[in-house]
């Protein structure tokens, strides 16, 4: 058994929780509060200074994650799809897929999501209810819905691969896989397709490609080659990962302080980002593959709980946001309605938002030095709190009769 894949899924799931924790502090203009609530830091700044902002470190963290982590999830799902299909046959395979993917998705869209957005946040946490009606709420299980579609397409496609193909070299992976995908993603920027919006179209290129790559990697046993990379190859991948991560940080900083005219173009970042996504995924698969020993009881419990954590973690994000806003409100820093004098650049107001006054107002020289400090510590607090609560709760949930067969 590939125990290292289980460990990688646990790490990616914890990263998803952290990613959504940071999204809870999105203060970019025009943003909408997350279903689990938002804490937005503001300042009554000078006219030339944005009232709302998101820290450079937060933008860097979110953009790096978005480049690869859901694609890697799709790769792993694609990798395990052929074995499940071969073992069960088409009918049993689809029955199992609908049970394990569609049921949690429906439960979230019709119960958990509406519970958060229509009752818990407006009635209990922010107490800004406007008699909001129960409605379908989308959320993280969009990934599960997509996997249902991919599974159906897989069943309809031919599965026999007549010719064995060795795993490409790292250079081929980066240039052909990453570069091709980056160019295609850039071409899809701003496009619409059927019911998909431009953002969905952009990322769908990666999701379809990586799921198919996972299927092919299983058939051709590519993971054995990736895990067996020479130390020099692994070091090269790590250097690529660190180099682009640093480049992206300074690109975001240039965009923030000097404007789009003096920052790297979006097209170059998209193409390089796609290459980086392949590099970091190969590095992670190789790195985790070096430790394939049987997991301890605690690690096994985490592996068993990971899927349930993905489904239910927004509940604990909401509680974490509530707890942090409560801590700040003790110092009278929190208002549940944005001051009337502050309008420019405000996120879209709703009943899931706490507004936090910045530690220091802006000056004529630019943003205040301490602007974002409360958001920074809040991101850490919410990420740690949500992870600490979600994993034990998910493990306990899986012990309930009938739930283990689904989650």
């Amino acid at each position: 058994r590939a125990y290292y894949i289980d460990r990688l899924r646990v790490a990616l799931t914890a990263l998803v929780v952290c990613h959504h924790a940071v999204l809870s502090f999105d203060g970019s203009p025009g943003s909408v509060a997350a279903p689990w609530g938002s804490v937005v830091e503001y300042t009554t700044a000078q006219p030339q200074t944005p009232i709302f902002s998101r820290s450079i470190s937060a933008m860097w963290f979110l953009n790096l994650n978005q480049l690869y982590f859901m694609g890697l999830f799709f790769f792993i799902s694609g990798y395990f799809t052929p074995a499940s299909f071969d073992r069960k046959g088409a009918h049993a395979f689809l029955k199992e897929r609908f049970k394990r993917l569609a049921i949690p998705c429906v439960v979230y869209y019709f119960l958990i999501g509406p519970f958060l957005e229509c009752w818990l946040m407006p009635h209990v946490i922010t107490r800004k209810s406007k008699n909001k009606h129960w409605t379908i709420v989308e959320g993280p299980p969009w990934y599960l819905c997509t996997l249902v579609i991919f599974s159906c397409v897989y069943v309809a496609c031919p599965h026999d691969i007549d010719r064995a193909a060795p795993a490409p070299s790292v250079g081929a992976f980066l240039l052909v896989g990453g570069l091709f995908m980056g160019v295609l993603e850039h071409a899809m920027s701003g496009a619409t397709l059927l019911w998909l919006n431009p953002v969905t179209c952009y990322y769908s290129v990666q999701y379809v490609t990586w799921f198919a790559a996972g299927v092919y990697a299983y058939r051709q046993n590519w993971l054995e080659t990736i895990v067996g990379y020479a130390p020099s190859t692994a070091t090269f991948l790590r250097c690529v990962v660190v180099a682009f991560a640093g480049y992206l940080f300074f690109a975001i900083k240039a965009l923030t302080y000097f404007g789009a005219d003096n920052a790297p173009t979006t097209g170059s970042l998209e193409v390089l980002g796609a290459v980086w996504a392949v590099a970091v995924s190969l590095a992670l698969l190789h790195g985790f593959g070096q430790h394939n020993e049987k997991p301890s009881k605690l690690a096994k419990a985490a592996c068993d709980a990971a899927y349930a954590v993905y489904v239910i973690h927004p509940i604990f994000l909401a509680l974490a946001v509530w707890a942090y806003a409560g801590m700040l409100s003790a110092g009278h820093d929190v208002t549940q309605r944005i001051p009337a004098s502050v309008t420019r650049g405000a996120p879209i107001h709703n009943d899931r938002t706490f507004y936090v006054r910045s530690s220091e107002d802006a000056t004529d020289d630019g943003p205040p030095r301490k602007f974002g400090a409360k958001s920074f510590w809040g991101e850490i607090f919410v990420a740690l709190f949500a992870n600490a609560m979600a994993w034990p709760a998910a493990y306990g949930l899986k012990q309930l009769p009938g739930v283990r067969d689904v989650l």
Side-chain angles (χ1 to χ4, degrees):
R1 180 180 176 83
Y3 294 114
Y4 71 94
I5 296 293
D6 292 333
R7 292 187 177 91
L8 180 55
R9 278 195 288 203
V10 168
L12 289 174
T13 303
L15 184 61
V16 167
V17 179
C18 295
H19 184 88
H20 289 157
V22 175
L23 280 177
S24 300
F25 293 81
D26 184 2
S28 54
S31 63
V32 180
W36 47 84
S38 291
V39 178
V40 176
E41 190 170 358
Y42 73 92
T43 175
T44 53
Q46 298 295 331
Q48 72 271 22
T49 306
I51 291 175
F52 291 91
S53 180
R54 180 195 277 167
S55 68
I56 293 174
S57 59
M59 289 191 287
W60 176 74
F61 177 75
L62 294 173
N63 279 280
L64 277 183
N65 292 340
Q66 199 66 59
L67 285 173
Y68 81 96
F69 72 154
M70 292 311 301
L72 189 50
F73 264 123
F74 278 107
F75 177 88
I76 293 172
S77 297
Y79 182 82
F80 287 108
T81 295
S84 180
F85 177 86
D86 295 345
R87 186 171 62 253
K88 299 172 182 176
H91 181 267
F93 170 76
L94 286 178
K95 181 179 179 181
E96 188 263 351
R97 291 290 86 186
F98 274 90
K99 179 178 73 173
R100 296 211 62 201
L101 298 174
I103 290 178
C105 188
V106 170
V107 168
Y108 186 93
Y109 278 31
F110 289 89
L111 291 176
I112 297 177
F115 167 74
L116 284 174
E117 184 165 332
C118 303
W119 187 79
L120 184 64
M121 290 303 305
H123 288 272
V124 178
I125 295 183
T126 61
R127 298 181 182 179
K128 296 189 288 187
S129 173
K130 297 181 179 179
N131 298 319
K132 194 166 187 176
H133 298 291
W134 205 263
T135 184
I136 298 174
V137 176
E138 298 180 0
W142 66 265
Y143 165 66
L144 311 182
C145 294
T146 308
L147 283 181
V148 171
I149 297 173
F150 286 1
S151 298
C152 292
V153 172
Y154 177 81
V155 170
C157 292
H159 309 120
D160 295 331
I161 299 176
D162 298 330
R163 184 170 59 88
S169 65
V170 169
F173 267 130
L174 297 180
L175 293 178
V176 178
L179 193 59
F180 169 77
M181 190 167 61
V183 172
L184 188 58
E185 286 176 350
H186 179 63
M188 292 291 288
S189 297
T192 56
L193 180 64
L194 299 178
W195 68 91
L196 302 177
N197 60 45
V199 175
T200 307
C201 281
Y202 174 81
Y203 287 114
S204 293
V205 174
Q206 184 190 72
Y207 302 155
V208 171
T209 304
W210 286 45
F211 182 85
V215 171
Y216 199 75
Y218 173 83
R219 294 296 187 192
Q220 300 293 351
N221 199 26
W222 282 1
L223 282 192
E224 183 176 335
T225 301
I226 294 172
V227 171
Y229 280 156
S232 58
T233 303
T235 300
F236 169 74
L237 287 171
R238 295 188 191 105
C239 290
V240 172
V241 170
V242 172
F244 178 80
Y247 172 74
L248 181 63
F249 180 84
F250 287 106
I252 293 173
K253 193 168 185 178
L255 181 64
T256 302
Y257 286 97
F258 304 112
D261 293 338
N262 297 292
T265 63
T266 302
S268 66
L269 288 174
E270 288 171 349
V271 174
L272 290 176
V275 175
W276 182 83
V278 174
V280 71
S281 299
L282 291 175
L284 287 172
L285 288 167
H286 171 79
F288 276 84
Q290 305 309 300
H291 306 280
N292 195 39
E293 61 274 5
K294 191 172 181 178
S296 64
K297 289 184 178 180
L298 181 61
K300 186 178 185 305
C303 294
D304 290 341
Y307 182 38
V309 169
Y310 184 89
V311 176
I312 70 172
H313 75 271
I315 297 174
F316 300 96
L317 286 170
L319 297 176
V321 167
W322 187 16
Y324 186 66
M327 292 165 55
L328 293 179
S329 64
H332 307 289
D333 292 322
V334 173
T335 176
Q336 292 179 343
R337 294 197 180 280
I338 188 168
S341 60
V342 180
T343 55
R344 177 171 44 83
I348 298 174
H349 175 73
N350 54 42
D351 51 13
R352 304 188 305 277
T353 305
F354 294 98
Y355 295 99
V356 182
R357 178 65 182 266
S358 179
S359 302
E360 181 179 325
D361 215 334
T363 66
D364 293 333
D365 297 329
R369 290 174 299 170
K370 295 181 181 179
F371 187 69
K374 292 175 183 175
S375 296
F376 174 78
W377 291 112
E379 290 158 2
I380 295 176
F381 173 84
V382 172
L384 293 177
F385 183 101
N387 269 300
M389 298 297 292
W391 289 89
Y395 181 78
L397 182 65
K398 283 202 50 121
Q399 311 312 309
L400 298 177
V403 177
R404 175 172 289 274
D405 295 335
V406 176
L407 296 177

